[in-house]
Amino acid sequence: MASNGYTNGYTNGYTNGHTSDRSGIEVSFDEADYAATDIIKRDFCIIGGGSTGTYTAVRLKDYNKSLVLIEKNDRLGGHAETYRDPASGVTLDIGVIVFGHLKEVKDYFQRFNVPLKKAEITMGAPDYVDFKTGRKHDFKPPVPEEIGAAMHKYAIQLMSYPEVQAGFALKYPISEDLLLPFGEYMKKYQLEGMIQAAFSYCQGYMPFLELSTLYVMKYWNADLLNTLSNGFLMTETNNIGELYSKAAQSLGSDVLLNSRVASMDRSASDAVEVVVDTPTGNRLIIAKKIISTIPHHKHNLAGFDLSDTEDSLFSQFTWSGFWAGVLKNTGLTQYHPIHTYGPDKVHGIPDMPGIYAINPSRAPGLYQFYYGGPGDLSEEEVKKDVIDSIKRIQKERSIEAASDPEIVKFANHTPFNLIVPNQAIRDGFYDKLYALQGQRNTWYNGASFHAQDSSVLWRFTEALLPRILESVK
Ligand SMILES: Cc1cc2nc3c(=O)[nH]c(=O)nc-3n(C[C@H](O)[C@H](O)[C@H](O)COP(=O)(O)OP(=O)(O)OC[C@H]3O[C@@H](n4cnc5c(N)ncnc54)[C@H](O)[C@@H]3O)c2cc1C
Protein backbone atom coordinates (compact mmCIF):
# COMPACT_ATOMS: atom_id res chain seq x y z
CA MET A 1 0.00 0.00 0.00
CA ALA A 2 1.32 3.42 -0.84
CA SER A 3 0.54 6.08 1.64
CA ASN A 4 2.51 9.14 2.58
CA GLY A 5 2.87 7.64 6.03
CA TYR A 6 2.17 10.92 7.69
CA THR A 7 -0.60 11.83 10.03
CA ASN A 8 -2.42 14.93 9.01
CA GLY A 9 -3.50 17.29 11.73
CA TYR A 10 -4.76 20.13 9.64
CA THR A 11 -7.41 22.05 11.51
CA ASN A 12 -8.53 25.58 10.94
CA GLY A 13 -10.65 26.29 13.95
CA TYR A 14 -13.91 26.36 12.04
CA THR A 15 -16.94 24.43 13.12
CA ASN A 16 -18.52 22.46 10.35
CA GLY A 17 -22.00 23.24 11.53
CA HIS A 18 -24.63 24.09 9.00
CA THR A 19 -25.78 27.15 10.89
CA SER A 20 -22.66 28.38 12.69
CA ASP A 21 -19.93 30.71 11.53
CA ARG A 22 -16.40 30.75 12.90
CA SER A 23 -17.31 32.56 16.09
CA GLY A 24 -20.18 30.20 16.75
CA ILE A 25 -22.74 32.92 15.96
CA GLU A 26 -25.81 31.72 14.10
CA VAL A 27 -25.81 32.55 10.40
CA SER A 28 -28.95 33.07 8.44
CA PHE A 29 -29.92 32.26 4.87
CA ASP A 30 -32.91 34.58 5.11
CA GLU A 31 -32.50 37.51 2.70
CA ALA A 32 -34.48 39.69 5.11
CA ASP A 33 -31.61 39.43 7.59
CA TYR A 34 -29.16 41.11 5.20
CA ALA A 35 -28.78 44.64 3.90
CA ALA A 36 -29.34 44.70 0.15
CA THR A 37 -25.63 45.47 -0.36
CA ASP A 38 -24.70 42.30 1.52
CA ILE A 39 -26.66 40.01 -0.78
CA ILE A 40 -24.74 38.93 -3.87
CA LYS A 41 -26.64 37.19 -6.66
CA ARG A 42 -24.52 35.54 -9.33
CA ASP A 43 -24.36 32.68 -11.82
CA PHE A 44 -21.32 31.22 -10.06
CA CYS A 45 -19.73 31.24 -6.63
CA ILE A 46 -16.10 30.14 -7.06
CA ILE A 47 -14.33 29.06 -3.90
CA GLY A 48 -10.53 29.38 -3.88
CA GLY A 49 -8.65 32.07 -5.81
CA GLY A 50 -5.47 30.19 -6.61
CA SER A 51 -4.31 28.97 -9.97
CA THR A 52 -7.52 27.19 -10.99
CA GLY A 53 -10.07 29.45 -9.32
CA THR A 54 -8.63 32.61 -10.83
CA TYR A 55 -8.36 31.07 -14.29
CA THR A 56 -11.91 29.74 -14.08
CA ALA A 57 -13.23 33.16 -13.03
CA VAL A 58 -11.43 34.96 -15.85
CA ARG A 59 -12.71 32.49 -18.44
CA LEU A 60 -16.31 32.53 -17.19
CA LYS A 61 -16.30 36.31 -17.62
CA ASP A 62 -15.40 35.70 -21.26
CA TYR A 63 -18.75 33.94 -21.54
CA ASN A 64 -20.52 36.87 -19.87
CA LYS A 65 -21.25 34.89 -16.74
CA SER A 66 -21.55 36.67 -13.43
CA LEU A 67 -19.54 35.36 -10.51
CA VAL A 68 -18.05 35.97 -7.12
CA LEU A 69 -14.65 34.54 -6.17
CA ILE A 70 -13.97 33.73 -2.51
CA GLU A 71 -10.35 33.57 -1.37
CA LYS A 72 -9.16 33.09 2.21
CA ASN A 73 -5.85 34.95 1.70
CA ASP A 74 -5.29 38.65 1.07
CA ARG A 75 -4.25 38.03 -2.55
CA LEU A 76 -5.04 35.79 -5.50
CA GLY A 77 -2.52 33.20 -6.69
CA GLY A 78 -2.46 30.41 -4.10
CA HIS A 79 0.88 28.63 -4.47
CA ALA A 80 1.99 31.37 -6.88
CA GLU A 81 3.58 34.13 -4.81
CA THR A 82 6.20 36.79 -5.44
CA TYR A 83 8.57 38.31 -2.89
CA ARG A 84 10.02 41.77 -3.52
CA ASP A 85 13.41 42.34 -1.89
CA PRO A 86 13.11 45.76 -0.22
CA ALA A 87 16.86 46.40 -0.53
CA SER A 88 17.26 45.79 -4.28
CA GLY A 89 13.66 45.91 -5.51
CA VAL A 90 14.28 42.56 -7.22
CA THR A 91 11.25 40.27 -7.42
CA LEU A 92 11.54 36.56 -6.65
CA ASP A 93 8.88 33.97 -7.33
CA ILE A 94 8.86 31.74 -4.30
CA GLY A 95 6.14 29.26 -5.36
CA VAL A 96 4.96 28.56 -8.89
CA ILE A 97 7.59 29.68 -11.42
CA VAL A 98 7.49 27.62 -14.60
CA PHE A 99 4.87 26.75 -17.20
CA GLY A 100 4.54 24.45 -20.18
CA HIS A 101 4.24 25.35 -23.85
CA LEU A 102 0.46 25.07 -23.87
CA LYS A 103 -1.95 27.27 -25.79
CA GLU A 104 -3.84 27.99 -22.54
CA VAL A 105 -0.65 29.27 -20.91
CA LYS A 106 0.31 31.55 -23.79
CA ASP A 107 -3.23 32.94 -24.19
CA TYR A 108 -3.62 33.59 -20.47
CA PHE A 109 -0.37 35.52 -20.07
CA GLN A 110 -0.92 37.38 -23.32
CA ARG A 111 -4.39 38.64 -22.39
CA PHE A 112 -2.90 40.30 -19.29
CA ASN A 113 0.15 41.48 -21.16
CA VAL A 114 2.59 39.59 -18.94
CA PRO A 115 5.50 38.58 -21.18
CA LEU A 116 6.96 35.09 -20.96
CA LYS A 117 10.45 33.90 -21.75
CA LYS A 118 12.22 30.59 -21.85
CA ALA A 119 13.34 29.74 -18.33
CA GLU A 120 17.07 29.99 -17.88
CA ILE A 121 18.72 27.47 -15.63
CA THR A 122 22.04 29.14 -15.00
CA MET A 123 22.78 28.09 -11.47
CA GLY A 124 25.38 25.45 -12.28
CA ALA A 125 25.94 22.01 -10.80
CA PRO A 126 24.72 21.69 -7.22
CA ASP A 127 26.60 20.73 -4.11
CA TYR A 128 25.06 17.62 -2.55
CA VAL A 129 24.78 18.10 1.18
CA ASP A 130 23.36 16.07 4.02
CA PHE A 131 21.37 18.85 5.69
CA LYS A 132 21.24 16.78 8.89
CA THR A 133 25.01 17.15 9.32
CA GLY A 134 25.85 20.03 6.97
CA ARG A 135 28.43 17.78 5.29
CA LYS A 136 29.06 17.92 1.55
CA HIS A 137 29.15 14.57 -0.30
CA ASP A 138 30.95 13.74 -3.46
CA PHE A 139 27.84 12.45 -5.20
CA LYS A 140 27.98 12.18 -8.95
CA PRO A 141 24.48 12.21 -10.41
CA PRO A 142 23.84 10.36 -13.66
CA VAL A 143 25.21 12.10 -16.76
CA PRO A 144 22.67 13.86 -19.03
CA GLU A 145 22.76 10.99 -21.58
CA GLU A 146 21.80 8.51 -18.86
CA ILE A 147 19.00 10.77 -17.60
CA GLY A 148 17.76 11.32 -21.17
CA ALA A 149 17.71 7.58 -21.92
CA ALA A 150 15.74 6.86 -18.75
CA MET A 151 13.29 9.67 -19.50
CA HIS A 152 12.78 8.33 -22.98
CA LYS A 153 11.83 4.91 -21.54
CA TYR A 154 9.55 6.62 -19.00
CA ALA A 155 7.86 8.67 -21.75
CA ILE A 156 7.01 5.43 -23.55
CA GLN A 157 5.53 4.07 -20.31
CA LEU A 158 3.41 7.21 -19.89
CA MET A 159 1.88 6.67 -23.33
CA SER A 160 0.18 3.55 -21.95
CA TYR A 161 -1.88 5.70 -19.59
CA PRO A 162 -3.51 8.57 -21.52
CA GLU A 163 -6.31 8.60 -18.94
CA VAL A 164 -3.80 9.68 -16.30
CA GLN A 165 -2.68 12.63 -18.42
CA ALA A 166 -6.19 13.95 -18.99
CA GLY A 167 -7.57 13.51 -15.50
CA PHE A 168 -8.45 10.58 -13.26
CA ALA A 169 -10.80 8.69 -15.60
CA LEU A 170 -8.92 5.50 -14.69
CA LYS A 171 -9.34 2.11 -16.35
CA TYR A 172 -10.36 -0.85 -14.20
CA PRO A 173 -8.95 -3.08 -12.99
CA ILE A 174 -6.24 -0.56 -12.26
CA SER A 175 -2.87 -1.54 -13.65
CA GLU A 176 -0.86 -2.76 -10.67
CA ASP A 177 2.12 -0.89 -12.16
CA LEU A 178 0.34 2.38 -11.37
CA LEU A 179 0.07 1.32 -7.74
CA LEU A 180 3.68 0.22 -7.34
CA PRO A 181 5.79 2.35 -5.02
CA PHE A 182 7.62 4.65 -7.44
CA GLY A 183 11.05 3.32 -6.34
CA GLU A 184 9.99 -0.23 -7.31
CA TYR A 185 8.44 0.96 -10.54
CA MET A 186 11.71 2.63 -11.51
CA LYS A 187 13.61 -0.54 -10.73
CA LYS A 188 11.16 -2.71 -12.70
CA TYR A 189 11.52 -0.56 -15.83
CA GLN A 190 15.19 0.33 -15.30
CA LEU A 191 14.53 4.04 -14.97
CA GLU A 192 17.03 4.68 -12.19
CA GLY A 193 18.93 7.12 -14.39
CA MET A 194 16.21 9.74 -13.90
CA ILE A 195 15.54 9.17 -10.23
CA GLN A 196 17.52 12.12 -8.87
CA ALA A 197 16.07 14.45 -11.49
CA ALA A 198 12.54 13.26 -10.71
CA PHE A 199 13.08 13.61 -6.97
CA SER A 200 14.37 17.13 -7.27
CA TYR A 201 11.48 18.15 -9.54
CA CYS A 202 8.75 16.36 -7.56
CA GLN A 203 9.32 18.37 -4.42
CA GLY A 204 6.48 18.03 -1.94
CA TYR A 205 5.90 14.43 -3.03
CA MET A 206 6.71 12.28 -0.02
CA PRO A 207 8.01 9.74 0.69
CA PHE A 208 9.08 9.85 -2.92
CA LEU A 209 10.21 6.26 -3.44
CA GLU A 210 7.13 4.85 -1.70
CA LEU A 211 4.54 7.05 -3.37
CA SER A 212 2.19 5.23 -5.76
CA THR A 213 3.45 5.58 -9.33
CA LEU A 214 0.07 7.00 -10.35
CA TYR A 215 0.72 10.17 -8.34
CA VAL A 216 4.21 10.68 -9.71
CA MET A 217 2.81 10.23 -13.23
CA LYS A 218 0.23 12.93 -12.53
CA TYR A 219 3.00 15.40 -11.76
CA TRP A 220 5.95 14.15 -13.78
CA ASN A 221 3.57 13.92 -16.71
CA ALA A 222 3.81 13.76 -20.50
CA ASP A 223 3.44 17.54 -20.83
CA LEU A 224 6.21 18.06 -18.36
CA LEU A 225 8.53 15.74 -20.27
CA ASN A 226 7.69 17.58 -23.45
CA THR A 227 8.37 20.91 -21.75
CA LEU A 228 11.64 19.63 -20.33
CA SER A 229 12.89 18.99 -23.84
CA ASN A 230 11.66 22.38 -25.15
CA GLY A 231 12.47 24.41 -22.03
CA PHE A 232 10.01 25.81 -19.51
CA LEU A 233 8.36 29.19 -19.78
CA MET A 234 8.49 31.76 -17.01
CA THR A 235 7.64 35.44 -16.64
CA GLU A 236 10.22 37.83 -18.09
CA THR A 237 10.38 39.78 -14.84
CA ASN A 238 10.36 36.82 -12.43
CA ASN A 239 7.10 38.15 -11.10
CA ILE A 240 4.16 35.78 -11.34
CA GLY A 241 2.37 38.14 -8.94
CA GLU A 242 1.88 40.49 -11.91
CA LEU A 243 -0.42 37.95 -13.59
CA TYR A 244 -2.52 37.56 -10.47
CA SER A 245 -2.74 41.26 -9.64
CA LYS A 246 -3.85 41.99 -13.21
CA ALA A 247 -6.39 39.14 -13.02
CA ALA A 248 -7.63 40.54 -9.69
CA GLN A 249 -7.93 43.99 -11.26
CA SER A 250 -9.98 42.60 -14.13
CA LEU A 251 -12.30 40.79 -11.72
CA GLY A 252 -12.66 43.89 -9.54
CA SER A 253 -15.19 43.77 -6.73
CA ASP A 254 -16.22 40.24 -7.70
CA VAL A 255 -13.26 39.03 -5.64
CA LEU A 256 -13.76 38.67 -1.89
CA LEU A 257 -10.35 38.40 -0.24
CA ASN A 258 -9.71 37.36 3.38
CA SER A 259 -13.01 35.54 3.16
CA ARG A 260 -14.22 32.02 3.90
CA VAL A 261 -17.37 30.00 3.72
CA ALA A 262 -19.23 30.19 7.03
CA SER A 263 -22.15 28.04 5.95
CA MET A 264 -23.80 26.69 2.85
CA ASP A 265 -27.16 25.35 1.73
CA ARG A 266 -27.27 23.29 -1.47
CA SER A 267 -30.60 21.59 -0.80
CA ALA A 268 -32.60 23.54 -3.41
CA SER A 269 -32.63 22.22 -6.96
CA ASP A 270 -32.01 25.50 -8.78
CA ALA A 271 -29.73 27.59 -6.57
CA VAL A 272 -27.20 27.47 -3.77
CA GLU A 273 -26.89 29.80 -0.84
CA VAL A 274 -23.52 30.49 0.73
CA VAL A 275 -22.89 32.66 3.76
CA VAL A 276 -19.37 34.05 3.50
CA ASP A 277 -17.45 35.50 6.40
CA THR A 278 -15.67 38.60 5.01
CA PRO A 279 -13.63 41.31 6.77
CA THR A 280 -16.69 43.57 6.61
CA GLY A 281 -19.17 41.03 7.92
CA ASN A 282 -21.20 38.16 6.56
CA ARG A 283 -22.49 38.24 2.97
CA LEU A 284 -25.24 36.06 1.58
CA ILE A 285 -24.37 34.70 -1.85
CA ILE A 286 -27.15 33.25 -3.96
CA ALA A 287 -25.73 31.51 -7.01
CA LYS A 288 -26.80 29.01 -9.62
CA LYS A 289 -23.66 26.92 -9.13
CA ILE A 290 -20.65 26.57 -6.89
CA ILE A 291 -17.21 25.82 -8.33
CA SER A 292 -14.88 24.65 -5.60
CA THR A 293 -11.14 24.79 -6.39
CA ILE A 294 -9.63 24.51 -2.91
CA PRO A 295 -7.73 21.47 -1.62
CA HIS A 296 -10.70 19.18 -0.95
CA HIS A 297 -9.75 17.57 2.30
CA LYS A 298 -12.47 17.42 4.86
CA HIS A 299 -11.11 19.97 7.35
CA ASN A 300 -10.74 22.55 4.62
CA LEU A 301 -14.39 22.17 3.71
CA ALA A 302 -15.65 23.60 6.97
CA GLY A 303 -18.90 25.42 6.35
CA PHE A 304 -19.77 23.18 3.36
CA ASP A 305 -22.99 21.16 3.76
CA LEU A 306 -21.29 17.93 2.74
CA SER A 307 -23.41 14.96 1.68
CA ASP A 308 -22.48 11.58 3.14
CA THR A 309 -20.80 10.68 -0.15
CA GLU A 310 -18.79 13.92 -0.31
CA ASP A 311 -17.85 13.52 3.34
CA SER A 312 -16.69 9.93 2.95
CA LEU A 313 -14.64 10.73 -0.18
CA PHE A 314 -12.96 13.89 1.05
CA SER A 315 -12.17 12.26 4.41
CA GLN A 316 -9.90 9.79 2.64
CA PHE A 317 -7.39 12.37 1.44
CA THR A 318 -4.03 12.66 3.15
CA TRP A 319 -1.35 15.15 2.16
CA SER A 320 2.21 16.34 2.66
CA GLY A 321 3.70 19.49 4.06
CA PHE A 322 5.61 21.82 1.76
CA TRP A 323 7.18 25.14 2.69
CA ALA A 324 9.36 27.66 0.89
CA GLY A 325 10.97 30.97 1.59
CA VAL A 326 13.84 33.40 1.33
CA LEU A 327 16.94 33.53 3.51
CA LYS A 328 19.51 36.19 4.24
CA ASN A 329 22.74 36.19 6.25
CA THR A 330 23.55 32.62 5.22
CA GLY A 331 27.26 33.44 4.94
CA LEU A 332 27.21 31.50 1.65
CA THR A 333 28.95 33.14 -1.25
CA GLN A 334 28.68 30.44 -3.90
CA TYR A 335 26.43 30.94 -6.90
CA HIS A 336 25.24 27.39 -7.24
CA PRO A 337 22.49 25.45 -5.49
CA ILE A 338 22.80 23.11 -2.56
CA HIS A 339 20.71 19.96 -2.94
CA THR A 340 19.75 17.52 -0.24
CA TYR A 341 21.56 14.19 -0.14
CA GLY A 342 21.03 11.19 2.11
CA PRO A 343 24.24 9.24 2.56
CA ASP A 344 23.58 5.49 2.80
CA LYS A 345 20.10 6.00 1.36
CA VAL A 346 18.86 4.40 -1.84
CA HIS A 347 19.86 6.70 -4.71
CA GLY A 348 20.94 9.25 -2.06
CA ILE A 349 17.31 10.25 -1.51
CA PRO A 350 17.06 11.31 2.13
CA ASP A 351 14.29 10.79 4.63
CA MET A 352 12.22 13.89 5.08
CA PRO A 353 11.44 16.24 6.83
CA GLY A 354 14.20 18.46 5.66
CA ILE A 355 15.34 21.03 3.14
CA TYR A 356 15.12 19.97 -0.49
CA ALA A 357 17.34 22.71 -1.83
CA ILE A 358 18.83 26.11 -1.18
CA ASN A 359 19.19 28.13 -4.37
CA PRO A 360 20.99 31.41 -4.94
CA SER A 361 18.54 34.07 -6.05
CA ARG A 362 18.68 37.10 -8.36
CA ALA A 363 18.57 39.37 -5.32
CA PRO A 364 22.03 40.04 -3.89
CA GLY A 365 22.69 38.00 -0.75
CA LEU A 366 19.34 36.20 -0.76
CA TYR A 367 18.84 32.45 -1.12
CA GLN A 368 15.58 30.59 -1.70
CA PHE A 369 14.77 27.38 0.14
CA TYR A 370 12.23 24.57 -0.26
CA TYR A 371 11.32 22.26 2.62
CA GLY A 372 9.23 19.09 2.78
CA GLY A 373 7.81 17.03 5.62
CA PRO A 374 4.67 15.67 7.21
CA GLY A 375 1.57 17.82 6.88
CA ASP A 376 1.29 18.33 10.61
CA LEU A 377 4.74 19.88 11.18
CA SER A 378 4.37 23.32 12.69
CA GLU A 379 5.78 26.41 10.99
CA GLU A 380 8.03 26.93 14.02
CA GLU A 381 9.53 23.44 13.65
CA VAL A 382 10.19 24.04 9.96
CA LYS A 383 11.75 27.47 10.49
CA LYS A 384 13.99 26.16 13.28
CA ASP A 385 15.21 23.25 11.16
CA VAL A 386 15.92 25.56 8.20
CA ILE A 387 18.03 27.88 10.34
CA ASP A 388 19.77 24.96 12.11
CA SER A 389 20.56 23.39 8.74
CA ILE A 390 22.25 26.60 7.55
CA LYS A 391 24.21 26.79 10.78
CA ARG A 392 25.39 23.18 10.30
CA ILE A 393 26.63 24.05 6.81
CA GLN A 394 28.36 27.16 8.18
CA LYS A 395 30.09 25.05 10.83
CA GLU A 396 31.22 22.43 8.31
CA ARG A 397 32.62 25.14 6.03
CA SER A 398 34.07 27.25 8.85
CA ILE A 399 31.97 30.21 7.75
CA GLU A 400 32.17 33.07 10.23
CA ALA A 401 28.91 34.86 9.53
CA ALA A 402 28.51 38.39 10.87
CA SER A 403 24.87 37.75 11.76
CA ASP A 404 22.63 34.76 12.28
CA PRO A 405 20.82 33.38 9.25
CA GLU A 406 17.37 34.86 8.93
CA ILE A 407 14.20 33.88 7.09
CA VAL A 408 12.93 37.07 5.48
CA LYS A 409 9.95 35.42 3.78
CA PHE A 410 8.20 32.21 4.71
CA ALA A 411 5.42 30.57 2.70
CA ASN A 412 3.35 27.64 3.91
CA HIS A 413 2.12 25.53 0.98
CA THR A 414 0.60 22.83 3.18
CA PRO A 415 -1.61 20.87 2.45
CA PHE A 416 0.15 19.70 -0.69
CA ASN A 417 -0.45 16.70 -2.96
CA LEU A 418 -3.71 15.22 -1.75
CA ILE A 419 -3.66 11.45 -2.22
CA VAL A 420 -5.59 8.34 -1.20
CA PRO A 421 -4.38 4.81 -0.42
CA ASN A 422 -4.01 2.18 -3.15
CA GLN A 423 -7.01 0.20 -1.93
CA ALA A 424 -9.24 3.24 -2.32
CA ILE A 425 -7.91 3.70 -5.87
CA ARG A 426 -8.62 0.03 -6.65
CA ASP A 427 -12.12 0.46 -5.20
CA GLY A 428 -12.92 3.23 -7.65
CA PHE A 429 -12.24 6.30 -5.49
CA TYR A 430 -11.63 8.55 -8.48
CA ASP A 431 -14.74 7.35 -10.33
CA LYS A 432 -16.79 8.18 -7.26
CA LEU A 433 -15.00 11.53 -6.96
CA TYR A 434 -15.65 12.46 -10.58
CA ALA A 435 -19.29 11.36 -10.21
CA LEU A 436 -19.70 14.34 -7.86
CA GLN A 437 -19.29 16.72 -10.81
CA GLY A 438 -22.44 18.74 -11.31
CA GLN A 439 -24.27 17.10 -8.41
CA ARG A 440 -25.88 19.37 -5.82
CA ASN A 441 -25.22 22.36 -8.10
CA THR A 442 -21.51 21.96 -7.50
CA TRP A 443 -18.51 21.62 -9.79
CA TYR A 444 -15.10 20.64 -8.51
CA ASN A 445 -11.75 21.66 -9.95
CA GLY A 446 -8.15 22.19 -8.85
CA ALA A 447 -5.17 20.01 -8.03
CA SER A 448 -7.08 17.45 -5.94
CA PHE A 449 -9.16 16.67 -9.05
CA HIS A 450 -6.23 16.54 -11.45
CA ALA A 451 -2.57 17.47 -10.89
CA GLN A 452 -0.25 19.91 -9.14
CA ASP A 453 0.62 21.70 -12.35
CA SER A 454 -0.86 25.05 -13.31
CA SER A 455 -0.49 24.59 -17.06
CA VAL A 456 -2.33 21.28 -17.17
CA LEU A 457 -4.93 22.57 -14.69
CA TRP A 458 -5.79 25.42 -17.05
CA ARG A 459 -6.21 22.94 -19.88
CA PHE A 460 -8.28 20.71 -17.57
CA THR A 461 -10.47 23.76 -16.84
CA GLU A 462 -10.99 24.37 -20.54
CA ALA A 463 -12.17 20.77 -20.91
CA LEU A 464 -14.59 21.19 -17.99
CA LEU A 465 -15.95 24.60 -19.03
CA PRO A 466 -18.49 23.40 -21.63
CA ARG A 467 -20.17 21.21 -19.00
CA ILE A 468 -20.12 24.01 -16.45
CA LEU A 469 -21.61 26.49 -18.93
CA GLU A 470 -24.26 24.02 -20.07
CA SER A 471 -25.34 23.58 -16.46
CA VAL A 472 -26.48 27.22 -16.13
CA LYS A 473 -28.41 27.44 -19.40
C1 LIG B 1 6.54 25.78 -3.82
C2 LIG B 1 5.73 25.35 -5.01
C3 LIG B 1 6.21 25.52 -6.29
C4 LIG B 1 5.45 25.15 -7.38
N1 LIG B 1 5.94 25.40 -8.62
C5 LIG B 1 5.16 25.17 -9.69
C6 LIG B 1 5.58 25.58 -10.98
O1 LIG B 1 6.65 26.16 -11.14
N2 LIG B 1 4.74 25.33 -12.02
C7 LIG B 1 3.53 24.73 -11.85
O2 LIG B 1 2.79 24.55 -12.83
N3 LIG B 1 3.11 24.32 -10.65
C8 LIG B 1 3.89 24.53 -9.56
N4 LIG B 1 3.46 24.17 -8.34
C9 LIG B 1 2.21 23.42 -8.25
C10 LIG B 1 1.01 24.28 -7.96
O3 LIG B 1 0.52 23.76 -6.77
C11 LIG B 1 -0.08 24.21 -8.98
O4 LIG B 1 0.45 24.69 -10.18
C12 LIG B 1 -1.35 25.03 -8.66
O5 LIG B 1 -1.08 26.07 -7.76
C13 LIG B 1 -2.48 24.24 -8.08
O6 LIG B 1 -3.63 25.05 -8.29
P1 LIG B 1 -4.92 24.99 -7.40
O7 LIG B 1 -5.86 26.01 -7.92
O8 LIG B 1 -5.41 23.61 -7.27
O9 LIG B 1 -4.42 25.37 -5.95
P2 LIG B 1 -3.89 26.76 -5.41
O10 LIG B 1 -3.19 27.52 -6.44
O11 LIG B 1 -3.19 26.44 -4.15
O12 LIG B 1 -5.25 27.52 -5.05
C14 LIG B 1 -6.10 27.17 -3.99
C15 LIG B 1 -6.59 28.49 -3.41
O13 LIG B 1 -7.66 28.23 -2.50
C16 LIG B 1 -7.48 29.02 -1.34
N5 LIG B 1 -8.18 28.33 -0.28
C17 LIG B 1 -7.80 27.18 0.32
N6 LIG B 1 -8.73 26.81 1.21
C18 LIG B 1 -9.71 27.76 1.17
C19 LIG B 1 -10.93 27.93 1.85
N7 LIG B 1 -11.35 27.05 2.73
N8 LIG B 1 -11.69 29.02 1.55
C20 LIG B 1 -11.27 29.92 0.61
N9 LIG B 1 -10.12 29.81 -0.06
C21 LIG B 1 -9.35 28.73 0.22
C22 LIG B 1 -5.98 29.09 -1.16
O14 LIG B 1 -5.61 30.20 -0.37
C23 LIG B 1 -5.52 29.22 -2.61
O15 LIG B 1 -5.45 30.55 -3.03
C24 LIG B 1 4.18 24.54 -7.21
C25 LIG B 1 3.69 24.35 -5.92
C26 LIG B 1 4.44 24.76 -4.83
C27 LIG B 1 3.88 24.57 -3.47
Side-chain angles (χ1 to χ4, degrees), residues 32 34 63 68 74 99 109 208 213 241 279 285 294 334 346 367 392 394 407 419 426 433 457 461 463 466-467 472:
Y34 293 84
Y63 291 94
V68 58
D74 60 0
F99 300 89
F109 282 85
F208 186 61
T213 298
I285 295 171
I294 62 182
Q334 62 187 35
V346 183
Y367 285 76
R392 287 190 283 267
Q394 289 178 338
I407 296 172
I419 61 171
R426 282 193 193 94
L433 193 73
L457 278 171
T461 304
R467 292 175 67 195
V472 292

Side-chain angles (χ1 to χ4, degrees), residues 263-314:
S263 198
M264 183 185 282
D265 183 352
R266 291 178 289 163
S267 58
S269 62
D270 56 347
V272 290
E273 292 180 304
V274 185
V275 176
V276 177
D277 177 11
T278 80
T280 52
N282 281 356
R283 303 283 182 86
L284 175 65
I285 295 171
I286 301 171
K288 291 180 187 159
K289 304 284 168 190
I290 284 173
I291 305 175
S292 179
T293 71
I294 62 182
H296 294 103
H297 64 78
K298 196 181 160 189
H299 300 299
N300 199 31
L301 294 160
F304 279 57
D305 58 339
L306 295 182
S307 67
D308 289 347
T309 309
E310 287 170 326
D311 187 89
S312 89
L313 290 169
F314 297 140

Side-chain angles (χ1 to χ4, degrees), residues 50-52 71-73 78-79 95 97-98 260 300 413 447 452 454:
S51 175
T52 323
E71 166 55 47
K72 70 171 183 179
N73 285 336
H79 295 312
I97 301 177
V98 291
R260 296 188 74 144
N300 199 31
H413 294 287
Q452 289 283 354
S454 285

Side-chain angles (χ1 to χ4, degrees), residues 12 47-53 70-73 75-80 94-99 201 219 244 259-261 293-295 300-302 304 322-324 370 413 416 445-448 451-455 457:
N12 58 15
I47 305 173
S51 175
T52 323
I70 299 163
E71 166 55 47
K72 70 171 183 179
N73 285 336
R75 58 173 182 85
L76 295 183
H79 295 312
I94 58 166
V96 178
I97 301 177
V98 291
F99 300 89
Y201 189 82
Y219 195 49
Y244 285 97
S259 299
R260 296 188 74 144
V261 172
T293 71
I294 62 182
N300 199 31
L301 294 160
F304 279 57
F322 194 15
W323 299 265
Y370 299 90
H413 294 287
F416 192 71
N445 198 354
S448 46
Q452 289 283 354
D453 178 326
S454 285
S455 311
L457 278 171

